[in-house]
Amino acid sequence: MNAARIAVAGAGLIGRRHIQHIATEACAVLACIVDPDPATRHIAAQHDVPWYPSLGTMLNDSRPEGVILATPNQLHVQGGLECIAAGLPVLVEKPIADNVTAGTALVAAAEAAGVPLLVGHHRRHNPLITAAKAAIEAGRLGRIVTVHATCWFFKPDGYFAPAWRRQRGAGPIFVNLIHDVDLLRHLCGEIDTVQAMESNAIRGHAVEESAAIILRFRSGALGTITLSDTTVAPWSWEFTSGENAAYTHTPEQSYMIGGTEAALAIPTLQLWRHETRPDWWQPLGHERLAFTAEDPLARQVRNFCAVIAGTASPVVSGREGLATLRVIEAVKQAAQTGQAIPL
Protein backbone atom coordinates (compact mmCIF):
# COMPACT_ATOMS: atom_id res chain seq x y z
CA MET A 1 0.00 0.00 0.00
CA ASN A 2 1.42 3.38 -1.01
CA ALA A 3 1.67 5.97 1.75
CA ALA A 4 -1.47 8.13 1.87
CA ARG A 5 -0.98 11.90 1.68
CA ILE A 6 -2.98 13.26 4.62
CA ALA A 7 -3.68 16.90 5.45
CA VAL A 8 -4.29 17.98 9.06
CA ALA A 9 -6.70 20.86 9.62
CA GLY A 10 -6.25 22.34 13.08
CA ALA A 11 -2.80 22.45 14.68
CA GLY A 12 -3.93 22.60 18.30
CA LEU A 13 -3.37 20.00 21.02
CA ILE A 14 -4.92 17.02 19.26
CA GLY A 15 -3.96 18.22 15.79
CA ARG A 16 -0.28 18.20 16.74
CA ARG A 17 -0.59 14.62 18.00
CA HIS A 18 -2.12 13.58 14.67
CA ILE A 19 0.73 15.32 12.87
CA GLN A 20 3.31 13.40 14.94
CA HIS A 21 1.68 10.05 14.20
CA ILE A 22 1.32 10.73 10.48
CA ALA A 23 5.01 11.61 10.42
CA THR A 24 6.00 8.31 12.03
CA GLU A 25 3.60 5.84 10.36
CA ALA A 26 4.87 4.15 7.20
CA CYS A 27 1.37 4.15 5.69
CA ALA A 28 1.03 7.95 5.83
CA VAL A 29 2.74 11.13 4.65
CA LEU A 30 1.88 14.59 5.97
CA ALA A 31 0.63 16.58 2.97
CA CYS A 32 0.06 19.98 4.59
CA ILE A 33 -1.24 21.81 7.64
CA VAL A 34 -4.35 24.01 7.63
CA ASP A 35 -4.89 26.51 10.43
CA PRO A 36 -6.08 30.15 10.43
CA ASP A 37 -3.48 31.13 13.05
CA PRO A 38 -0.30 32.35 11.30
CA ALA A 39 1.64 31.28 14.39
CA THR A 40 1.20 27.67 13.28
CA ARG A 41 3.31 28.26 10.15
CA HIS A 42 6.36 27.11 12.09
CA ILE A 43 4.80 23.66 12.61
CA ALA A 44 4.45 23.27 8.85
CA ALA A 45 8.02 24.50 8.42
CA GLN A 46 9.29 21.94 10.94
CA HIS A 47 7.74 19.18 8.81
CA ASP A 48 8.69 20.81 5.49
CA VAL A 49 5.09 20.91 4.24
CA PRO A 50 2.86 23.75 2.97
CA TRP A 51 0.72 25.80 5.36
CA TYR A 52 -2.73 27.08 4.45
CA PRO A 53 -5.05 29.42 6.39
CA SER A 54 -8.25 27.60 5.34
CA LEU A 55 -9.54 24.40 3.78
CA GLY A 56 -10.76 26.34 0.78
CA THR A 57 -7.32 27.76 0.14
CA MET A 58 -5.74 24.34 0.50
CA LEU A 59 -8.26 22.65 -1.82
CA ASN A 60 -7.63 25.28 -4.50
CA ASP A 61 -3.90 24.57 -4.41
CA SER A 62 -3.39 20.97 -3.25
CA ARG A 63 -4.95 17.53 -3.47
CA PRO A 64 -4.29 15.32 -0.44
CA GLU A 65 -5.80 11.84 -0.32
CA GLY A 66 -7.44 12.38 3.05
CA VAL A 67 -8.01 15.03 5.70
CA ILE A 68 -7.99 14.85 9.50
CA LEU A 69 -10.19 17.62 10.93
CA ALA A 70 -8.93 18.65 14.36
CA THR A 71 -10.62 22.04 14.34
CA PRO A 72 -12.83 23.46 17.13
CA ASN A 73 -16.05 21.45 17.62
CA GLN A 74 -18.24 24.15 16.09
CA LEU A 75 -16.35 23.88 12.77
CA HIS A 76 -16.47 20.10 12.33
CA VAL A 77 -19.54 19.99 10.09
CA GLN A 78 -18.51 22.92 7.90
CA GLY A 79 -15.06 21.43 7.35
CA GLY A 80 -16.43 17.93 6.87
CA LEU A 81 -18.84 19.11 4.18
CA GLU A 82 -16.01 20.91 2.34
CA CYS A 83 -13.94 17.72 2.30
CA ILE A 84 -16.88 15.57 1.17
CA ALA A 85 -17.71 18.02 -1.62
CA ALA A 86 -14.10 17.64 -2.78
CA GLY A 87 -14.40 13.84 -2.64
CA LEU A 88 -11.79 13.52 0.13
CA PRO A 89 -12.08 10.87 2.86
CA VAL A 90 -12.21 12.70 6.17
CA LEU A 91 -11.55 11.76 9.78
CA VAL A 92 -13.46 14.24 11.96
CA GLU A 93 -12.35 14.63 15.55
CA LYS A 94 -15.05 13.98 18.10
CA PRO A 95 -17.71 15.16 18.47
CA ILE A 96 -18.80 14.68 14.88
CA ALA A 97 -20.85 17.87 15.31
CA ASP A 98 -22.05 20.11 18.11
CA ASN A 99 -25.67 19.03 17.54
CA VAL A 100 -27.44 15.97 16.15
CA THR A 101 -29.20 17.84 13.32
CA ALA A 102 -25.92 19.07 11.86
CA GLY A 103 -24.26 15.70 12.44
CA THR A 104 -27.10 13.94 10.61
CA ALA A 105 -26.63 16.26 7.63
CA LEU A 106 -22.90 15.51 7.54
CA VAL A 107 -23.42 11.74 7.66
CA ALA A 108 -26.11 11.95 4.96
CA ALA A 109 -23.82 14.01 2.70
CA ALA A 110 -20.96 11.52 3.08
CA GLU A 111 -23.19 8.54 2.35
CA ALA A 112 -24.81 10.23 -0.64
CA ALA A 113 -21.39 11.08 -2.08
CA GLY A 114 -19.88 7.70 -1.25
CA VAL A 115 -17.02 9.42 0.61
CA PRO A 116 -15.62 7.69 3.74
CA LEU A 117 -16.38 9.58 6.96
CA LEU A 118 -14.60 8.51 10.15
CA VAL A 119 -14.90 9.92 13.68
CA GLY A 120 -11.99 10.30 16.09
CA HIS A 121 -13.20 8.15 18.97
CA HIS A 122 -9.66 6.82 19.15
CA ARG A 123 -10.13 4.83 22.37
CA ARG A 124 -11.90 2.10 20.40
CA HIS A 125 -8.55 1.47 18.71
CA ASN A 126 -6.85 0.75 22.06
CA PRO A 127 -5.85 -2.94 22.37
CA LEU A 128 -7.05 -3.02 25.97
CA ILE A 129 -10.56 -2.13 24.78
CA THR A 130 -10.29 -4.89 22.17
CA ALA A 131 -9.48 -7.33 24.99
CA ALA A 132 -12.35 -6.07 27.16
CA LYS A 133 -14.80 -6.29 24.25
CA ALA A 134 -13.69 -9.85 23.47
CA ALA A 135 -14.23 -10.96 27.10
CA ILE A 136 -17.71 -9.43 27.17
CA GLU A 137 -18.71 -10.94 23.82
CA ALA A 138 -17.40 -14.34 24.95
CA GLY A 139 -19.88 -14.22 27.83
CA ARG A 140 -17.27 -14.15 30.58
CA LEU A 141 -19.24 -11.51 32.51
CA GLY A 142 -22.59 -13.21 31.93
CA ARG A 143 -25.39 -10.74 31.37
CA ILE A 144 -24.31 -7.15 32.04
CA VAL A 145 -26.30 -5.66 34.91
CA THR A 146 -24.57 -2.48 36.00
CA VAL A 147 -21.90 -0.05 34.79
CA HIS A 148 -20.05 2.87 36.37
CA ALA A 149 -17.63 5.35 34.83
CA THR A 150 -15.61 8.07 36.56
CA CYS A 151 -14.20 11.01 34.63
CA TRP A 152 -12.53 13.36 37.14
CA PHE A 153 -9.62 15.73 36.48
CA PHE A 154 -8.65 19.40 36.84
CA LYS A 155 -8.20 21.72 33.87
CA PRO A 156 -6.09 24.83 34.61
CA ASP A 157 -7.22 28.35 33.80
CA GLY A 158 -4.93 28.50 30.78
CA TYR A 159 -6.93 25.73 29.10
CA PHE A 160 -9.84 28.16 28.78
CA ALA A 161 -7.87 30.98 27.13
CA PRO A 162 -9.35 30.14 23.68
CA ALA A 163 -12.86 31.60 23.81
CA TRP A 164 -14.48 28.58 22.12
CA ARG A 165 -13.64 26.39 25.14
CA ARG A 166 -15.96 28.54 27.27
CA GLN A 167 -18.83 28.46 24.78
CA ARG A 168 -21.75 26.13 24.18
CA GLY A 169 -20.67 22.75 22.89
CA ALA A 170 -17.18 22.89 24.40
CA GLY A 171 -17.78 21.79 28.00
CA PRO A 172 -16.46 18.47 29.35
CA ILE A 173 -19.67 16.66 28.34
CA PHE A 174 -18.94 17.30 24.66
CA VAL A 175 -15.15 17.37 24.84
CA ASN A 176 -14.37 14.58 27.32
CA LEU A 177 -17.41 12.55 28.39
CA ILE A 178 -18.29 11.80 24.77
CA HIS A 179 -15.29 9.43 24.69
CA ASP A 180 -16.51 7.58 27.77
CA VAL A 181 -20.08 7.32 26.46
CA ASP A 182 -18.75 6.01 23.16
CA LEU A 183 -16.82 3.26 24.95
CA LEU A 184 -19.80 2.31 27.12
CA ARG A 185 -21.92 1.99 23.96
CA HIS A 186 -19.20 -0.05 22.31
CA LEU A 187 -18.78 -2.39 25.28
CA CYS A 188 -22.27 -2.62 26.75
CA GLY A 189 -24.71 -1.91 23.91
CA GLU A 190 -27.08 0.87 22.99
CA ILE A 191 -28.48 3.33 25.53
CA ASP A 192 -32.22 4.00 25.50
CA THR A 193 -32.83 6.51 28.34
CA VAL A 194 -30.77 9.25 30.00
CA GLN A 195 -31.16 11.31 33.17
CA ALA A 196 -28.65 13.97 34.26
CA MET A 197 -27.75 16.98 36.38
CA GLU A 198 -24.90 19.42 35.75
CA SER A 199 -23.21 22.34 37.53
CA ASN A 200 -20.91 25.28 36.78
CA ALA A 201 -20.60 26.41 40.41
CA ILE A 202 -16.79 26.76 40.46
CA ARG A 203 -15.81 28.73 37.34
CA GLY A 204 -19.20 30.05 36.27
CA HIS A 205 -18.51 29.64 32.55
CA ALA A 206 -21.38 29.24 30.11
CA VAL A 207 -20.54 25.53 29.90
CA GLU A 208 -20.87 22.86 32.56
CA GLU A 209 -17.90 21.71 34.63
CA SER A 210 -19.47 18.80 36.55
CA ALA A 211 -22.25 16.32 35.82
CA ALA A 212 -23.93 13.24 37.24
CA ILE A 213 -25.65 10.93 34.76
CA ILE A 214 -27.86 7.83 34.86
CA LEU A 215 -28.09 5.58 31.80
CA ARG A 216 -30.47 2.76 30.96
CA PHE A 217 -29.26 0.39 28.28
CA ARG A 218 -31.57 -1.45 25.89
CA SER A 219 -30.50 -4.69 27.55
CA GLY A 220 -31.98 -3.49 30.85
CA ALA A 221 -28.57 -2.76 32.41
CA LEU A 222 -28.22 0.47 34.38
CA GLY A 223 -25.21 2.77 34.42
CA THR A 224 -23.93 5.83 36.23
CA ILE A 225 -21.28 8.36 35.23
CA THR A 226 -19.79 11.20 37.25
CA LEU A 227 -17.82 13.88 35.44
CA SER A 228 -15.84 16.92 36.60
CA ASP A 229 -13.04 19.03 35.16
CA THR A 230 -12.62 20.93 38.45
CA THR A 231 -11.64 17.92 40.58
CA VAL A 232 -8.13 16.80 41.51
CA ALA A 233 -8.28 13.00 41.30
CA PRO A 234 -6.62 9.94 39.68
CA TRP A 235 -9.83 8.38 38.29
CA SER A 236 -10.14 9.27 34.64
CA TRP A 237 -9.26 7.54 31.37
CA GLU A 238 -6.46 10.05 30.76
CA PHE A 239 -4.71 9.10 34.01
CA THR A 240 -5.55 5.41 34.21
CA SER A 241 -5.10 4.19 30.63
CA GLY A 242 -1.50 5.33 30.17
CA GLU A 243 -2.16 5.98 26.48
CA ASN A 244 -0.90 9.59 26.55
CA ALA A 245 2.47 10.28 28.17
CA ALA A 246 1.41 13.89 28.82
CA TYR A 247 -0.67 12.65 31.78
CA THR A 248 0.47 10.95 34.97
CA HIS A 249 -0.25 7.22 34.83
CA THR A 250 -2.18 6.04 37.89
CA PRO A 251 -2.80 2.32 38.64
CA GLU A 252 -6.53 2.91 39.15
CA GLN A 253 -9.64 2.20 37.09
CA SER A 254 -12.10 4.53 35.42
CA TYR A 255 -14.83 2.03 34.43
CA MET A 256 -16.44 -0.90 36.22
CA ILE A 257 -18.73 -3.30 34.37
CA GLY A 258 -20.69 -5.84 36.43
CA GLY A 259 -22.43 -8.96 35.15
CA THR A 260 -24.18 -12.03 36.46
CA GLU A 261 -21.00 -14.12 36.19
CA ALA A 262 -18.15 -11.66 36.73
CA ALA A 263 -17.12 -8.01 36.89
CA LEU A 264 -14.46 -6.19 34.88
CA ALA A 265 -12.39 -3.15 35.87
CA ILE A 266 -11.09 -0.99 33.02
CA PRO A 267 -8.35 -0.15 32.12
CA THR A 268 -6.63 -2.44 34.65
CA LEU A 269 -8.52 -5.36 33.02
CA GLN A 270 -8.98 -7.12 36.36
CA LEU A 271 -11.73 -9.73 35.92
CA TRP A 272 -13.37 -10.64 39.24
CA ARG A 273 -15.46 -13.79 39.75
CA HIS A 274 -16.43 -16.23 42.48
CA GLU A 275 -14.23 -19.30 42.27
CA THR A 276 -17.07 -21.82 42.20
CA ARG A 277 -20.41 -20.17 41.47
CA PRO A 278 -21.91 -16.67 41.77
CA ASP A 279 -22.60 -16.40 45.51
CA TRP A 280 -21.46 -13.69 47.87
CA TRP A 281 -20.55 -16.35 50.45
CA GLN A 282 -18.13 -18.00 48.00
CA PRO A 283 -14.44 -17.00 47.62
CA LEU A 284 -13.87 -14.17 45.17
CA GLY A 285 -10.82 -14.35 42.90
CA HIS A 286 -9.49 -12.35 39.99
CA GLU A 287 -7.26 -12.46 36.92
CA ARG A 288 -5.85 -9.82 34.61
CA LEU A 289 -6.78 -10.05 30.95
CA ALA A 290 -3.79 -10.02 28.62
CA PHE A 291 -3.18 -7.48 25.86
CA THR A 292 -0.27 -5.81 24.09
CA ALA A 293 -0.20 -2.05 24.59
CA GLU A 294 -0.07 0.20 21.53
CA ASP A 295 -0.89 3.87 20.93
CA PRO A 296 -4.52 4.01 19.72
CA LEU A 297 -3.89 7.20 17.73
CA ALA A 298 -1.26 5.34 15.71
CA ARG A 299 -3.72 2.52 15.08
CA GLN A 300 -6.36 5.08 14.10
CA VAL A 301 -4.03 6.60 11.49
CA ARG A 302 -3.39 3.12 10.09
CA ASN A 303 -7.11 2.45 9.86
CA PHE A 304 -7.63 5.78 8.07
CA CYS A 305 -4.88 4.90 5.59
CA ALA A 306 -6.47 1.49 4.96
CA VAL A 307 -9.88 3.11 4.44
CA ILE A 308 -8.34 5.54 1.94
CA ALA A 309 -6.76 2.58 0.14
CA GLY A 310 -10.09 0.75 0.09
CA THR A 311 -8.78 -2.23 2.08
CA ALA A 312 -10.66 -1.68 5.36
CA SER A 313 -13.82 -0.22 6.83
CA PRO A 314 -13.80 2.57 9.44
CA VAL A 315 -13.43 1.33 13.01
CA VAL A 316 -15.64 4.28 14.00
CA SER A 317 -17.93 5.37 11.17
CA GLY A 318 -19.86 8.59 10.85
CA ARG A 319 -23.01 6.77 11.93
CA GLU A 320 -21.28 5.46 15.06
CA GLY A 321 -20.09 8.95 15.92
CA LEU A 322 -23.61 10.26 15.36
CA ALA A 323 -25.14 7.60 17.64
CA THR A 324 -22.76 8.63 20.44
CA LEU A 325 -23.59 12.30 19.85
CA ARG A 326 -27.30 11.48 20.25
CA VAL A 327 -26.58 10.23 23.78
CA ILE A 328 -24.52 13.32 24.61
CA GLU A 329 -27.27 15.62 23.33
CA ALA A 330 -29.77 13.68 25.47
CA VAL A 331 -27.50 14.19 28.50
CA LYS A 332 -27.54 17.95 27.95
CA GLN A 333 -31.31 17.95 27.42
CA ALA A 334 -31.89 15.88 30.54
CA ALA A 335 -29.73 18.23 32.62
CA GLN A 336 -31.56 21.29 31.29
CA THR A 337 -35.08 19.92 31.71
CA GLY A 338 -34.74 17.66 34.73
CA GLN A 339 -36.55 14.95 32.79
CA ALA A 340 -35.63 11.44 31.69
CA ILE A 341 -34.90 11.63 27.95
CA PRO A 342 -35.65 8.58 25.79
CA LEU A 343 -33.45 7.94 22.76
CSV table of all heavy atoms in Angstrom, one decimal, residues 4 21 37 55 66 73 96 156-157 162 208-209 221 248 275 289 306:
chain,number,residue,atom,x,y,z
A,4,ALA,N,-0.4,7.2,2.2
A,4,ALA,CA,-1.5,8.1,1.9
A,4,ALA,C,-1.0,9.5,2.3
A,4,ALA,O,-0.5,9.7,3.4
A,4,ALA,CB,-2.7,7.7,2.6
A,21,HIS,N,1.9,11.4,14.6
A,21,HIS,CA,1.7,10.1,14.2
A,21,HIS,C,1.7,9.9,12.7
A,21,HIS,O,2.2,8.8,12.2
A,21,HIS,CB,0.3,9.6,14.8
A,21,HIS,CG,0.4,9.3,16.2
A,21,HIS,ND1,1.1,8.2,16.7
A,21,HIS,CD2,-0.1,9.9,17.3
A,21,HIS,CE1,1.0,8.2,18.1
A,21,HIS,NE2,0.2,9.2,18.4
A,37,ASP,N,-4.4,30.4,12.2
A,37,ASP,CA,-3.5,31.1,13.1
A,37,ASP,C,-2.1,31.1,12.4
A,37,ASP,O,-1.5,30.1,12.3
A,37,ASP,CB,-3.4,30.5,14.4
A,37,ASP,CG,-2.5,31.3,15.4
A,37,ASP,OD1,-1.9,32.3,15.0
A,37,ASP,OD2,-2.4,30.9,16.6
A,55,LEU,N,-9.3,25.6,4.6
A,55,LEU,CA,-9.5,24.4,3.8
A,55,LEU,C,-9.7,24.8,2.3
A,55,LEU,O,-9.2,24.2,1.4
A,55,LEU,CB,-10.7,23.6,4.3
A,55,LEU,CG,-10.5,22.6,5.4
A,55,LEU,CD1,-11.8,22.1,6.0
A,55,LEU,CD2,-9.6,21.5,5.1
A,66,GLY,N,-6.6,12.4,1.9
A,66,GLY,CA,-7.4,12.4,3.0
A,66,GLY,C,-7.2,13.6,3.9
A,66,GLY,O,-6.1,14.2,3.8
A,73,ASN,N,-14.8,22.2,17.8
A,73,ASN,CA,-16.0,21.5,17.6
A,73,ASN,C,-17.1,22.1,16.7
A,73,ASN,O,-17.7,21.5,15.8
A,73,ASN,CB,-16.7,21.2,19.0
A,73,ASN,CG,-15.9,20.4,19.9
A,73,ASN,OD1,-14.8,19.9,19.6
A,73,ASN,ND2,-16.3,20.3,21.2
A,96,ILE,N,-18.6,14.5,16.3
A,96,ILE,CA,-18.8,14.7,14.9
A,96,ILE,C,-19.4,16.0,14.5
A,96,ILE,O,-19.2,16.6,13.5
A,96,ILE,CB,-19.7,13.5,14.3
A,96,ILE,CG1,-19.7,13.6,12.8
A,96,ILE,CG2,-21.0,13.5,14.9
A,96,ILE,CD1,-20.4,12.4,12.2
A,156,PRO,N,-6.6,23.5,34.1
A,156,PRO,CA,-6.1,24.8,34.6
A,156,PRO,C,-6.7,26.0,33.9
A,156,PRO,O,-7.3,25.8,32.8
A,156,PRO,CB,-4.6,24.8,34.4
A,156,PRO,CG,-4.5,23.9,33.2
A,156,PRO,CD,-5.5,22.8,33.3
A,157,ASP,N,-6.6,27.2,34.4
A,157,ASP,CA,-7.2,28.4,33.8
A,157,ASP,C,-6.7,28.6,32.4
A,157,ASP,O,-7.5,29.0,31.5
A,157,ASP,CB,-6.9,29.6,34.6
A,157,ASP,CG,-7.6,29.6,36.0
A,157,ASP,OD1,-8.6,28.8,36.1
A,157,ASP,OD2,-7.2,30.4,36.9
A,162,PRO,N,-8.6,30.0,24.9
A,162,PRO,CA,-9.4,30.1,23.7
A,162,PRO,C,-10.8,30.3,24.0
A,162,PRO,O,-11.4,29.5,24.8
A,162,PRO,CB,-9.1,28.8,23.0
A,162,PRO,CG,-7.8,28.3,23.6
A,162,PRO,CD,-7.8,28.8,25.0
A,208,GLU,N,-20.9,23.6,31.3
A,208,GLU,CA,-20.9,22.9,32.6
A,208,GLU,C,-19.4,22.5,32.9
A,208,GLU,O,-18.6,22.5,32.1
A,208,GLU,CB,-21.7,21.6,32.4
A,208,GLU,CG,-21.0,20.4,31.7
A,208,GLU,CD,-20.9,20.7,30.2
A,208,GLU,OE1,-21.7,21.5,29.6
A,208,GLU,OE2,-20.1,20.0,29.5
A,209,GLU,N,-19.2,22.2,34.2
A,209,GLU,CA,-17.9,21.7,34.6
A,209,GLU,C,-18.0,20.4,35.4
A,209,GLU,O,-17.0,19.7,35.6
A,209,GLU,CB,-17.2,22.8,35.5
A,209,GLU,CG,-18.0,23.2,36.7
A,209,GLU,CD,-17.6,24.6,37.2
A,209,GLU,OE1,-17.0,25.3,36.5
A,209,GLU,OE2,-17.9,24.9,38.4
A,221,ALA,N,-29.6,-3.2,31.5
A,221,ALA,CA,-28.6,-2.8,32.4
A,221,ALA,C,-28.7,-1.3,32.7
A,221,ALA,O,-29.2,-0.5,31.9
A,221,ALA,CB,-27.2,-3.1,31.8
A,248,THR,N,0.0,11.9,34.0
A,248,THR,CA,0.5,10.9,35.0
A,248,THR,C,-0.3,9.6,34.8
A,248,THR,O,-1.5,9.6,34.7
A,248,THR,CB,0.3,11.5,36.4
A,248,THR,OG1,1.0,12.7,36.5
A,248,THR,CG2,0.8,10.5,37.4
A,275,GLU,N,-15.0,-18.2,42.7
A,275,GLU,CA,-14.2,-19.3,42.3
A,275,GLU,C,-15.1,-20.5,41.9
A,275,GLU,O,-14.6,-21.3,41.1
A,275,GLU,CB,-13.2,-19.7,43.3
A,275,GLU,CG,-12.1,-18.5,43.5
A,275,GLU,CD,-11.1,-18.9,44.6
A,275,GLU,OE1,-11.2,-20.0,45.2
A,275,GLU,OE2,-10.3,-18.0,44.9
A,289,LEU,N,-6.7,-9.7,32.4
A,289,LEU,CA,-6.8,-10.1,30.9
A,289,LEU,C,-5.5,-9.6,30.2
A,289,LEU,O,-5.0,-8.5,30.6
A,289,LEU,CB,-8.0,-9.4,30.3
A,289,LEU,CG,-9.4,-9.8,30.9
A,289,LEU,CD1,-10.5,-9.1,30.1
A,289,LEU,CD2,-9.6,-11.3,30.9
A,306,ALA,N,-5.9,2.7,5.6
A,306,ALA,CA,-6.5,1.5,5.0
A,306,ALA,C,-7.8,1.8,4.3
A,306,ALA,O,-8.2,1.3,3.3
A,306,ALA,CB,-6.6,0.4,6.0
